[in-house]
Amino acid sequence: MHRTADGPALLDRIDPRSRILAAIAFALVVSVVNRPPALLAALACAFVSAAFSGVGPRDMLRRLAPLNVFMLLLVALMPLSSGGRQLGTVGPFPYGADGLRLALTIAAKGNAIVLLLIALAGSLDINTVGHAMSHFRVPDKLTHLLLFTVRYLDVLRREYHRLRVAIEVRAFRPGVNMHTYRTYGRLAGMLLVRSLDRSERVVAAMKCRGFHGHFYLLDHFHYSRRDALFAAVAAAILAGIARLEWL
Amino acid sequence: MSDPLVKLERVTFRYGERTVLDQCDLAISPAERIGLVGANGSGKTTLLGLIVGLRRPALGRVIVFGKPREREADFRAVRGRVGLLFQDSDDQLFCPTVAEDVAFGPFNLGKSRREVEEIVARTLAELGLEGYAHRVTYKLSGGEKRLVALATVLAMEPEVLLLDEPTAGLDETAAERVTGILAGLPQAMLIVSHDHPFLARIAGRTLCLRHGRLQEAS
């Protein structure tokens, strides 16, 4: 979890459920707007939220990087196959204005949505997301899947490292050959078998404590006046963006 | 002597062709602490599993709290009253936080939210784990995991404890802490361990599992 030095960031104090709902609503609205003023407003709003989220600028850039590599490709390639006013040529291909506008629109939308998702939902503890999911009446199986994945990811990672070390202390050097592939195949297979074994032991442990298919949640979220205020502000901003687009 | 809490009568268990337990007899009386030793793979963990119905014997009877237990439904009632501590605490702790893990058993027993919160706080305090309630289970150290696993078992207020190598893999300080806590508990216990000094301190008598039979260890 990311925290600023002076306690929880402003957005971290908002109820996780409101944050997730706001992020979803924002993503829906931004994905259908196309006019530059509306997109710029959305981007601005995403930047401001990011500033209050407690996610550091470096983390933010690191998370945005993969998206923007893809966006750069779009900006480079899309204008080549589109009509509109010609801006120049790349070799034999015309570089069209319509394509550039479209590519930039997509880049703006993508960045605004991802930035806001990171700001609102990305700083949530994964366990909190699990709890919020069950409050949203997401099917129990999905919630359990998420929480178990989080719980056992680390155990599996350690198991993988143990196997990895066991391989390396016997002078294994990966290369492009059959021996390497076979070794990795066995590593993956062994990991799978061990996971299966472990899952059986976990089920046994759960049965011993009287599990009958239902998880009880200990922590409950509290919806406060601050959350109502947050919801009102979020709704107003979304209405503003919609107005810039359609009026 | 009062009636035993747990009784195995001529229990036989096989993994495929291999007979792990061969007409094995065992009785655990109230407040009795029995150590269980035996070679690796001799069936000690299997024996614990039989008592809580994780495995079913091929032959013989498992009698817990005076009633023969045969079907899953019979054992469901047993599991709240017989607490099993697993060898690997990672198998036992599967909830995101310590408090939720400790609360899991009591909730399943049908306790109310208020009762559960009270039990969680009390159990953690008894084991000296105050302040651990909101810790994330997978980030705990090995010793802390073992103690929390013990807390999840004790939270169900069992009458019998089955402990599978409770001190294995712990450093001296952590092992000492676990030993001290176990020594102070009132429950009857069956304790699997390879740690002889530990058993000498905790257990009243020690049984050895060899060739599928239990015998008094010297």
Side-chain angles (χ1 to χ4, degrees):
Chain A
M1 266 227 282
H2 305 273
R3 288 261 181 268
T4 45
D6 45 8
L10 188 61
L11 276 177
D12 281 350
R13 279 180 264 161
I14 307 290
D15 187 301
R17 291 168 300 176
S18 334
R19 284 157 67 181
I20 292 171
L21 279 182
I24 292 171
F26 185 85
L28 283 177
V29 170
V30 174
S31 63
V32 295
V33 302
N34 284 313
R35 281 163 68 173
L39 282 173
L40 285 177
L43 261 179
C45 161
F47 271 111
V48 172
S49 314
F52 284 110
S53 71
V55 181
R58 185 178 296 179
D59 263 338
M60 200 59 106
L61 285 177
R62 195 170 48 80
R63 294 196 205 180
L64 281 174
L67 173 75
N68 283 301
V69 170
F70 181 67
M71 291 304 170
L72 271 178
L73 268 174
L74 273 187
V75 170
L77 297 178
M78 245 175 127
L80 297 179
S81 59
S82 70
R85 195 163 54 83
Q86 200 173 318
L87 297 171
T89 55
V90 181
F93 303 107
Y95 197 81
D98 284 1
L100 184 63
R101 189 178 305 125
L102 198 57
L104 287 176
T105 306
I106 294 172
K109 278 187 191 195
N111 277 294
I113 292 174
V114 171
L115 202 57
L116 198 94
L117 272 179
I118 296 171
L120 287 180
S123 56
L124 284 177
D125 197 315
I126 194 78
N127 297 329
T128 315
V129 175
H131 283 179
M133 275 167 72
S134 73
H135 280 289
F136 283 140
R137 304 275 179 273
V138 172
D140 276 352
K141 278 188 182 134
L142 282 179
T143 315
H144 296 174
L145 204 58
L146 177 80
L147 291 177
F148 274 107
T149 307
V150 174
R151 172 62 185 86
Y152 285 102
L153 209 57
D154 186 61
V155 174
L156 279 178
R157 194 180 54 85
R158 274 186 283 138
E159 216 137 63
Y160 166 76
H161 279 292
R162 273 201 296 278
L163 289 171
R164 198 57 212 256
V165 167
I167 288 174
E168 274 160 20
V169 294
R170 284 196 280 159
F172 173 75
R173 281 289 168 84
V176 186
N177 52 40
M178 211 47 207
H179 175 64
T180 302
Y181 301 143
R182 199 175 289 131
T183 308
Y184 281 144
R186 284 182 186 152
L187 183 91
M190 191 49 94
L191 208 55
L192 218 62
V193 170
R194 287 194 185 187
S195 311
L196 202 65
D197 267 0
R198 183 177 292 278
S199 71
E200 272 163 15
R201 292 198 301 272
V202 172
V203 168
M206 291 170 70
K207 267 162 108 184
C208 281
R209 288 201 273 153
F211 182 67
H212 45 71
H214 184 72
F215 273 111
Y216 299 85
L217 294 178
L218 201 56
D219 289 329
H220 280 268
F221 302 125
H222 298 288
Y223 198 80
S224 67
R225 190 185 287 170
R226 194 191 289 140
D227 298 303
L229 188 68
F230 170 80
V233 171
I237 290 173
L238 283 178
I241 292 172
R243 197 189 142 84
L244 285 173
E245 172 76 13
W246 287 293
L247 289 177
Chain B
M1 199 165 130
S2 51
D3 287 337
L5 298 170
V6 175
K7 202 165 177 222
L8 300 186
E9 280 181 358
R10 302 173 70 76
V11 163
T12 298
F13 184 84
R14 297 191 190 97
Y15 280 114
E17 292 291 288
R18 197 165 69 93
T19 301
V20 182
L21 298 175
D22 183 15
Q23 305 197 4
C24 195
D25 289 306
L26 170 74
I28 308 174
S29 303
E32 191 181 22
R33 293 183 190 160
I34 306 174
L36 179 57
V37 297
N40 292 334
S42 60
K44 305 183 295 293
T45 302
T46 306
L47 186 78
L48 301 188
L50 280 165
I51 296 172
V52 289
L54 295 174
R55 305 188 183 287
R56 300 294 148 73
L59 295 166
R61 293 207 302 168
V62 179
I63 301 162
V64 188
F65 304 123
K67 281 189 200 147
R69 312 281 174 168
E70 281 159 18
R71 284 166 297 122
E72 179 69 13
D74 301 335
F75 282 108
R76 225 167 272 157
V78 166
R79 289 179 192 140
R81 297 167 65 192
V82 180
L84 173 58
L85 184 73
F86 280 56
Q87 204 168 347
D88 184 347
S89 302
D90 269 321
D91 293 338
Q92 204 152 12
L93 304 176
F94 56 88
C95 294
T97 66
V98 169
E100 282 168 319
D101 228 312
V102 178
F104 180 76
F107 269 131
N108 289 335
L109 292 181
K111 305 259 192 236
S112 73
R113 174 166 296 277
R114 182 176 300 171
E115 284 173 308
V116 170
E117 278 168 12
E118 205 261 325
I119 290 171
V120 170
R122 175 158 42 85
T123 312
L124 290 180
E126 277 167 4
L127 297 187
L129 293 169
E130 297 99 336
Y132 276 73
H134 297 289
R135 292 279 294 275
V136 173
T137 47
Y138 67 84
K139 289 184 182 159
L140 300 174
S141 75
E144 291 168 334
K145 275 184 191 164
R146 193 66 51 85
L147 282 174
V148 172
L150 185 60
T152 67
V153 171
L154 292 178
M156 299 183 75
E157 292 160 355
E159 293 157 57
V160 183
L161 289 174
L162 309 176
L163 309 166
D164 200 349
E165 305 203 20
T167 56
L170 301 186
D171 66 43
E172 223 165 288
T173 324
E176 184 58 36
R177 198 165 161 201
V178 170
T179 310
I181 287 166
L182 292 180
L185 291 174
Q187 282 94 345
M189 296 178 195
L190 181 60
I191 312 153
V192 171
S193 183
H194 295 292
D195 182 348
H196 290 275
F198 160 70
L199 282 183
R201 261 180 71 185
I202 292 281
R205 65 191 176 111
T206 299
L207 299 173
C208 178
L209 185 58
R210 192 177 297 143
H211 307 307
R213 297 280 179 96
L214 283 170
Q215 30 192 253
E216 294 286 336
S218 48

